[in-house]
Amino acid sequence: MEWTSCLTMLNSNRNGATGRSTSVAIITYTLAWLAALLFVNPGLALAQETDTKSAYIAGSGNAALDDHVARLLSEQLGDQIALEPLVESQIAILKDVPVIAIGPAVFSRVRQANRDLPIMALLVEREFIEGYATRSAGQVSAVYYDVPLLRQALTGKVILPQATRVAMLATTESVELYEPLIDQLAPYGLEAKVFIADTEDQLIPSLIRALSFGDFLLAGPDDAIYNPRNIKHILLTAYRRNKILIGPSQAYVKAGALASSYAPFNEMAELAASHLIAYFENGSFPAPTYSEEYRVEVNQQVARSLNIPLPKREWIAEAVQNMINENDQEAGQ
């Protein structure tokens, strides 16, 4: 029934009837008509709703970090997708609603509570998430937090242009982390070797051999080697031999590493937003990816102590990117 025919009928009844019973009949009829109209076309009841889609965000527990990431994501998403905080009790009952998990611990908790949920992981390293993403392609994705080791090695090369050899420390279990890098270095005039330290007793002897071989020590995301317990000993041993540590992250630069490349948060947020939009358009996430833009953090105090002249951070990052671009162009010819 159309709105015009309804109004005509109501006006007719109002003009031809009097008394209280007629008024009650009109009101009753009106309510019945509205109920029937909503039953036939329930979309009218939702007329005030928008087309904005929703996704949930599961925080790391660090309020400042979570708020910063959520704000950057919201700026990238605009009005397209609304972010809602994920409540623990919701996880098991959600279905086909994407969740952004900040950090590996949160990802693991959400994943174990509901293995069918689509999850986008942030602030996770490739080694942690790659297996999940491979087994659940399209349902699990990420923007990697760690930096490609090639980029870290070239950061060292730009700072020490005369460098030709890169040393790395690893355990038997983590040595595979460096295998792809070893094959990538030759076009840049570098060679590399990994030295194994499976126990605390082996750490310093292996480190000394590594420092004797390499022009600098390259650190990957290997918690078995690079952790708060070991880092002081590694740095002191290296600097006594006038050798620098590159990587594995900004945090270690503050602890005493000379430099590290890193992906800025706004770049990671932009990629995460594009992955989320792609999920709503296609029903699946794109594959996990590294950031496309990187910056460099340096420790000026360490550089002065070792008499190493440091270019500006922006220049180092640009020089590294230029080296990668030039090699890619040559490889494509």
Side-chain angles (χ1 to χ4, degrees):
M1 182 182 296
E2 299 293 331
W3 277 104
T4 52
S5 62
C6 174
L7 292 173
T8 300
M9 185 177 295
L10 287 177
N11 288 333
S12 175
N13 286 342
R14 186 176 294 111
N15 292 333
T18 59
R20 184 175 180 180
S21 60
T22 303
S23 298
V24 171
I26 291 173
I27 294 172
T28 302
Y29 179 86
T30 303
L31 293 174
W33 179 85
L34 287 171
L37 182 62
L38 290 175
F39 178 79
V40 173
N41 187 9
L44 290 175
L46 304 177
Q48 300 301 317
E49 294 188 5
T50 68
D51 292 332
T52 301
K53 302 174 179 64
S54 294
Y56 287 93
I57 185 165
S60 66
N62 182 323
L65 173 64
D66 296 339
D67 290 346
H68 183 57
V69 172
R71 179 178 59 80
L72 291 175
L73 278 170
S74 296
E75 290 174 357
Q76 294 292 334
L77 293 168
D79 296 331
Q80 299 179 73
I81 302 171
L83 295 179
E84 302 178 18
L86 181 65
V87 179
E88 194 78 22
S89 59
Q90 296 175 305
I91 300 176
I93 59 176
L94 287 177
K95 185 178 181 181
D96 298 330
V97 181
V99 172
I100 299 169
I102 303 176
V106 175
F107 171 86
S108 297
R109 189 172 74 248
V110 174
R111 174 71 174 174
Q112 295 309 311
N114 189 338
R115 294 175 61 84
D116 295 325
L117 273 181
I119 308 177
M120 161 68 61
L122 297 180
L123 304 187
V124 297
E125 295 171 353
R126 178 175 181 171
E127 185 179 12
F128 170 82
I129 200 70
E130 193 170 31
Y132 292 103
T134 300
R135 291 187 296 271
S136 301
Q139 284 292 103
V140 172
S141 190
V143 177
Y144 298 133
Y145 181 59
D146 52 315
V147 180
L149 287 173
L150 175 61
R151 186 175 291 273
Q152 293 283 46
L154 295 180
T155 301
K157 174 71 173 177
V158 169
I159 293 172
L160 298 177
Q162 77 280 7
T164 59
R165 297 195 292 187
V166 183
M168 295 161 284
L169 273 179
T171 65
T172 303
E173 293 183 355
S174 64
V175 66
E176 187 178 358
L177 175 69
Y178 297 99
E179 285 293 319
L181 172 67
I182 294 174
D183 297 329
Q184 295 174 319
L185 291 176
Y188 302 95
L190 293 170
E191 61 175 312
K193 186 175 180 180
V194 182
F195 296 81
I196 303 298
D198 283 326
T199 66
E200 290 187 14
D201 292 339
Q202 295 174 354
L203 179 64
I204 298 304
S206 294
L207 174 59
I208 292 173
R209 290 193 297 273
L211 296 172
S212 298
F213 168 83
D215 296 304
F216 63 89
L217 183 65
L218 177 66
D222 181 1
D223 292 339
I225 298 292
Y226 298 100
N227 56 57
R229 184 180 65 254
N230 291 341
I231 190 61
K232 179 180 179 180
H233 303 296
I234 292 173
L235 289 171
L236 287 176
T237 304
Y239 295 154
R240 283 170 184 164
R241 289 161 175 78
N242 290 316
K243 296 295 176 71
I244 63 171
L245 175 68
I246 299 294
S249 66
Q250 283 178 284
Y252 281 93
V253 174
K254 294 177 181 179
L258 181 64
S260 178
S261 288
Y262 69 95
F265 273 98
N266 59 345
E267 168 69 12
M268 290 188 286
E270 183 178 347
L271 282 172
S274 68
H275 277 42
L276 199 56
I277 292 170
Y279 175 85
F280 280 108
E281 291 177 348
N282 307 316
S284 63
F285 285 120
T289 184
Y290 281 107
S291 295
E292 297 177 1
E293 176 189 341
Y294 289 90
R295 298 175 187 170
V296 174
E297 187 71 47
V298 298
N299 189 316
Q300 294 285 357
Q301 183 178 349
V302 170
R304 286 192 295 268
S305 298
L306 297 176
N307 295 316
I308 297 175
L310 274 182
K312 290 184 178 180
R313 296 181 299 170
E314 296 79 8
W315 188 90
I316 298 172
E318 184 178 353
V320 169
Q321 188 61 56
N322 288 340
M323 292 173 72
I324 294 173
N325 292 343
E326 289 173 6
N327 182 70
D328 289 345
Q329 291 176 358
E330 292 176 3
Q333 291 177 355

